[in-house]
Amino acid sequence: MFELTATVLLCPLAAFVLITFFTGKSEKISSLVSMVAMAVSLLSSLLIFALILSAPGDYELKIPWINILKDLPIEMGVLLNPVSSVMLMVVCTVSLFVQIYSVGYMHNDEGYSKYYSFISLFSFSMLGLVIANNLLQLYIFWELVGLCSYLLIGHWYHKPDAANAAKKAFVVTRFGDFGLLIAVIFLACKTGTFNFLEIERVIGSGILSPAAVTAVALLIFCGAAGKSAQFPLHIWLPDAMEGPTPISALIHAATMVAAGVYLVIRTYFIFDLSGTALSVIAIIGCSTAFMAGSIAIVQDDIKKVLAYSTISQLGYMMLALGVHGYTAGYFHLITHATFKALLFLGAGSVIHSLHTNNIWEMGRLFKNMKVTAVTFLIGGLALSGVYPTSGFFSKDAILIQTLESGHYVLFAVAFLTAGFTAFYMARVFFVVFLSKEKFSGKHPHESPAVMYVPLILLATLAVGLGFFSEGFSRLIFFGKINEPEHAVLIPLLSNLSAIGAIVLAWAIYQKELISAAALEQRFAFVHKFLKNKYYIDEMYVFCVKNILFVVSNAAGWFDRHIVDGAVNGAFYLTSSAAGALRKLQTGMVQNYAVGIFGGVILLWFFMNMMK
């Protein structure tokens, strides 16, 4: 099993090295090397999962690495269990499909080989994060994931928007990573190890006070909030749409944003000891889900709709983890990876055909792009949680857990957000694929097979995965699970809500029984508020300009004039005194004689005056 793990991890790394140093001049060979490496990794991950499935448990391999500190050995290692083995399959599957799809989407791109080089490094980084058996190793791969996202979001760096989006993603996530780094150092100092299983054992013995456990949990969540775009560190994710669409699919489905949720899942033994930390996670997750879901309703860029949808679904996952819905949150992470990758690649297929992101410049694409339309519809229904798609099983599990945990307000907000999800996805589908044609001089066409085959496979997973929900729960918990009390009522109400939202979108955007323009006019304030994304970006700009810049400018003035002034003043006085004294040293003996004679006279005069 550990040999297979080495294969999973090293194949994409080898692809990165080969493409970067040897095959970069050949586009076909570069893409082939990357895809073959990922296919081998996927096959190995499937074999690992089969082995774990036959005997669920924790399997750990530790290799000594650095022994600088006697009481804190640093090691590399692998931790395989049902949680990590499932995530390995998800990352490899989505990455392989994205790479196959990219052959058509990125055709003739100037940085084609560089693209496949970085995507291989991205996959390697996420896989390394998943299998890490200790916090330090996880943190190293965590930062590599951030670096790769910067490189790929800014793939078209010659475009100012893409370059700025890459910098924004990198900088914003650093704020969260700082909290995670403090938590890693604190835990290592208190427990004497970075190893997950050993930290769990030591913390379980009560070595940390409840306040310390809460503080550590919240610091870890800071890192997760940055990567998984939770309020208020969510602002980088919509701008990340400036990167190539396949990269958006990879980031939003299986790598960058999944890393934050996976971090909380991996360290859940810490969060489980702090009710305060879990409550904070639940509230922030629910607030993020509602905020992003409401913003998605008014977005005109098809990728921006999906971006805010991702933020909203990540909020759902955090909500689940905050109300002890460990399995529900993780299962939603898995199902979301499939249908969100499907939706982004479907959006990329449309953009590839029409060369625009604006949904109002599309329309009636169903007749020309049937495969894209049908698969996009399946992805939209899965995201909306409509039976029998996988989203139905994972999203409703979160709603049930929230209700049964006694968080009735959070349940109400999450239930309303689910209606938002169905509405904005139906809005996109009706406007893009079924409404009147709004493009002129363009001839939409179905994407090549290399692009639509991954759509079909992902659509199959988006439907089929839901039927493994009970088996997934049994695997994660190594046995039997309890049947929830509202296992029938909540899914029924949720489906009725989703269908109602879809019918409402149909009446507004397809049949035009209700005027969208009239609604916007009637609720102008709300529409403007949502269109401007709650003015959160503007608040950041205001704070940076009027607080950060003012404080930094004041500190700069103090540093230049007071600190540097004192140092420079001391230098000036010393230099002036030295310059004056230097004139006394002429090297002429007669001058020294005059000085000595004058000194003797002054000394004689002074001694007589003292008598």
Side-chain angles (χ1 to χ4, degrees), residues 96-134:
L96 178 60
F97 287 170
V98 166
Q99 290 185 31
I100 295 171
Y101 178 95
S102 298
V103 171
Y105 191 89
M106 299 298 291
H107 182 60
N108 290 330
D109 186 86
E110 290 183 1
Y112 187 91
S113 293
K114 180 188 70 173
Y115 171 88
Y116 273 97
S117 172
F118 288 157
I119 207 171
S120 296
L121 182 61
F122 203 1
S123 302
F124 161 75
S125 303
M126 187 62 193
L127 292 169
L129 186 152
V130 169
I131 65 171
N133 75 326
N134 64 82

Side-chain angles (χ1 to χ4, degrees), residues 386-405:
V386 176
Y387 183 84
T389 62
S390 60
F392 165 81
F393 296 93
S394 59
K395 184 205 68 177
D396 286 351
I398 294 174
L399 294 176
I400 292 170
Q401 181 64 34
T402 305
L403 179 63
E404 296 191 348
S405 65

Side-chain angles (χ1 to χ4, degrees), residues 1 200 368 531 534 543 560:
M1 189 157 49
E200 183 176 6
N368 300 102
K531 197 77 173 176
Y534 286 54
C543 290
R560 289 190 302 272

Side-chain angles (χ1 to χ4, degrees), residues 74-86:
I74 300 174
E75 62 189 19
M76 294 185 292
V78 174
L79 178 60
L80 293 175
N81 55 24
V83 172
S84 59
S85 63
V86 170

Side-chain angles (χ1 to χ4, degrees), residues 310-423:
T310 298
I311 298 173
S312 182
Q313 298 306 305
L314 292 168
Y316 267 112
M317 297 171 205
M318 291 298 185
L319 168 62
L321 295 173
V323 296
H324 292 95
Y326 178 89
T327 309
Y330 190 34
F331 190 53
H332 195 56
L333 174 64
I334 304 305
T335 60
H336 177 264
T338 59
F339 57 70
K340 186 50 64 69
L342 169 61
L343 288 169
F344 265 108
L345 297 183
S349 182
V350 173
I351 296 168
H352 181 263
S353 179
L354 293 181
H355 303 287
T356 179
N357 291 25
N358 194 324
I359 61 174
W360 305 111
E361 296 176 4
M362 301 173 186
R364 198 170 293 177
L365 295 177
F366 193 94
K367 64 178 183 180
N368 300 102
M369 306 180 70
K370 288 185 173 58
V371 175
T372 298
V374 172
T375 53
F376 193 92
L377 175 62
I378 293 172
L381 292 174
L383 180 59
S384 303
V386 176
Y387 183 84
T389 62
S390 60
F392 165 81
F393 296 93
S394 59
K395 184 205 68 177
D396 286 351
I398 294 174
L399 294 176
I400 292 170
Q401 181 64 34
T402 305
L403 179 63
E404 296 191 348
S405 65
H407 295 82
Y408 302 116
V409 174
L410 297 182
F411 168 78
V413 174
F415 191 86
L416 177 61
T417 305
F420 289 167
T421 305
F423 179 81

